[in-house]
Amino acid sequence: MSEPPSESATVATEPSADWDELAVDRPGGHVYQSRAWAEHRQGSGWRPLFVSTRGLRILALTRPWPLVGGASAYLPRGPAPVVPADELGGGLWAATKTLAGEGIDVVAIDPEVPADDAAWRSWLRRAGYRPIDEIQPSRHRLTLPLGPGAADDDVFSGIAKSTRQRIRKAEKAGIAVVRHDARTADPGGPGDGFVGPAEEPALALDRFYDLLAETGERKDFSFGPRSEFVGWWTLALAAGHLVYLEARDGNASGELLAGLVLYRHGQRLSTVHSGDPASARETHPGALHLLRWRAIQLAIREGCIEMDLGGVDVPGARREPREGEPMHGLYQHKLSFGARWLELAGAHERVIRPNRYRAGRLVARVRRLVPLGA
């Protein structure tokens, strides 16, 4: 490995006591660098390693190659850009060297660093990282900066007129927004725009999976196993990293009109999944608009620096969707809330031991095609 200057790093099989505080909660932090995500992925066969540098905590999910020894590592949305890009690059190189010493043959990364950050691009080149296809569904995202002193009225005035009208119409129609959130004992406090849930979070999240699957079928995309999604959502909600909002007709027990899953991390709320029944789009067309507005209000109330409205780019089109393309409608919907397109640097990898990397990938592919005992 070439040797750009960097700091040192240590590695452990258990997270430090301040792990989430330093990897998740700071500006730029990400829930996929959390203790909860490590626990969840460990249940799927990944081995988490917890790498620490002077200023960073970096979760590495590792998986051994069958038969040939060695392993691959993925830093999910990491290293989280909680420090300036030059410091982040030094920490990444320290982590890469440390993981190489643990027998890792390739390291994949996809932190949410802006594409125009010259210091980050320089570090990637110096450390031998090359671009790869995205690991997460989207490379870029839509962002609504908030900042200190953000107020509901000011942010609402920046929303497109037609979207404001749909929000107000949904409010007048009596749509209730139910908030599932482990960080508050009173999600339905007076005047905050939410009501408390009428059922346990696990039941609500299981029902949301059905709603998401229906939405995916309508828009021609699919999801993984129910247990994988609902299990993670439940774990993340219990850890305070996830908020689930429901739009219901009239009250907390009314007909489910839409659902919205948000991550709470990095002093921002991030849209992860949204869904609504086709029938609700006819009877209550503003339900999802109201959910997004309530999410923005919650972000303002919590002093967030940003409302992240998520991505809309798809494989083969890592750019802003154009009119006539499948994601263009969702793109316009999110833009109507005052969001702007934010280009990110995307996923990269560093191959450390090319021969074992190639052999490991080949054997793993054969194992998938020809299971043991076949």
Side-chain angles (χ1 to χ4, degrees), residues 27-43:
H30 203 287
V31 68
Y32 288 162
Q33 285 286 299
S34 68
R35 300 161 62 109
W37 185 246
E39 178 185 340
H40 175 67
R41 299 310 290 158
Q42 192 168 15

Side-chain angles (χ1 to χ4, degrees), residues 64 120 234 286 349 362 370:
W120 178 244
T234 304
E349 73 175 10
L362 177 61
V370 185

Side-chain angles (χ1 to χ4, degrees), residues 82-171:
V82 297
V83 294
D86 196 52
E87 292 180 43
L88 190 72
L92 170 63
W93 182 243
T96 303
K97 292 194 299 180
T98 299
L99 290 169
E102 296 291 316
I104 299 300
D105 302 312
V106 58
V107 180
I109 64 170
D110 56 0
E112 293 184 316
V113 179
D116 61 359
D117 195 313
W120 178 244
R121 294 200 310 269
S122 174
W123 262 105
L124 291 175
R125 289 193 299 270
R126 294 162 68 193
Y129 276 83
R130 65 176 185 84
I132 58 174
D133 195 17
E134 296 311 300
I135 301 167
Q136 299 296 332
S138 293
R139 176 185 301 173
H140 312 300
R141 60 188 173 92
L142 286 152
T143 177
L144 176 62
L146 297 174
D152 286 22
D153 289 346
D154 293 336
V155 176
F156 193 73
S157 67
I159 296 175
K161 181 179 179 180
S162 60
T163 298
R164 295 199 308 267
Q165 289 173 337
R166 286 199 170 197
I167 292 168
R168 292 308 189 210
K169 186 175 181 180
E171 290 176 329

Side-chain angles (χ1 to χ4, degrees), residues 74-373:
Y74 170 41
L75 317 184
R77 286 302 188 204
V82 297
V83 294
D86 196 52
E87 292 180 43
L88 190 72
L92 170 63
W93 182 243
T96 303
K97 292 194 299 180
T98 299
L99 290 169
E102 296 291 316
I104 299 300
D105 302 312
V106 58
V107 180
I109 64 170
D110 56 0
E112 293 184 316
V113 179
D116 61 359
D117 195 313
W120 178 244
R121 294 200 310 269
S122 174
W123 262 105
L124 291 175
R125 289 193 299 270
R126 294 162 68 193
Y129 276 83
R130 65 176 185 84
I132 58 174
D133 195 17
E134 296 311 300
I135 301 167
Q136 299 296 332
S138 293
R139 176 185 301 173
H140 312 300
R141 60 188 173 92
L142 286 152
T143 177
L144 176 62
L146 297 174
D152 286 22
D153 289 346
D154 293 336
V155 176
F156 193 73
S157 67
I159 296 175
K161 181 179 179 180
S162 60
T163 298
R164 295 199 308 267
Q165 289 173 337
R166 286 199 170 197
I167 292 168
R168 292 308 189 210
K169 186 175 181 180
E171 290 176 329
K172 291 178 181 177
I175 293 178
V177 178
V178 180
R179 176 178 166 194
H180 296 268
D181 185 353
R183 286 201 181 177
T184 177
D186 184 18
D192 68 1
F194 300 103
V195 298
E199 60 185 353
E200 292 299 313
L203 292 175
L205 290 168
D206 189 71
R207 186 176 294 106
F208 178 67
Y209 181 89
D210 294 331
L211 188 60
L212 203 59
E214 178 190 333
T215 303
E217 184 176 343
R218 190 168 70 241
K219 297 184 177 180
D220 198 27
F221 58 86
S222 60
F223 294 90
R226 177 187 299 269
S227 59
E228 179 77 9
F229 277 82
V230 178
W232 160 239
W233 294 336
T234 304
L235 185 64
L237 190 146
H241 299 317
L242 183 147
V243 180
Y244 173 48
L245 304 182
E246 295 176 308
R248 288 184 173 269
D249 190 6
N251 57 53
S253 300
E255 178 189 357
L256 180 61
L257 304 173
L260 180 65
V261 166
L262 307 160
Y263 286 154
R264 177 191 277 124
H265 55 183
Q267 291 190 15
R268 68 188 187 276
L269 292 181
S270 295
T271 298
V272 190
H273 303 292
S274 62
D276 56 348
S279 58
R281 293 201 162 189
E282 298 295 327
T283 59
H284 299 80
L288 197 50
H289 296 73
L290 179 59
L291 282 189
R292 292 198 193 281
W293 171 236
R294 288 288 184 263
I296 293 169
Q297 288 181 299
L298 180 60
I300 293 170
R301 196 170 300 127
E302 294 190 352
C304 292
I305 59 177
E306 175 195 358
M307 179 69 209
D308 168 13
L309 276 79
V312 292
D313 58 305
V314 294
R318 300 299 185 183
R319 53 167 170 72
E320 295 174 85
R322 297 167 183 160
E323 190 170 357
E325 293 180 335
M327 300 300 285
H328 187 259
L330 182 59
Y331 173 55
Q332 292 297 317
H333 168 75
K334 292 181 177 182
L335 284 180
S336 76
F337 283 87
R340 61 177 176 83
W341 178 262
L342 177 62
E343 296 226 353
L344 300 175
H348 290 72
E349 73 175 10
R350 172 59 151 96
V351 177
I352 299 165
R353 299 179 183 86
N355 291 337
R356 195 162 69 182
Y357 169 60
R358 285 191 292 267
R361 289 191 66 183
L362 177 61
V363 174
R365 189 179 303 118
V366 170
R367 275 283 185 90
R368 287 194 296 270
L369 295 173
V370 185
L372 290 175

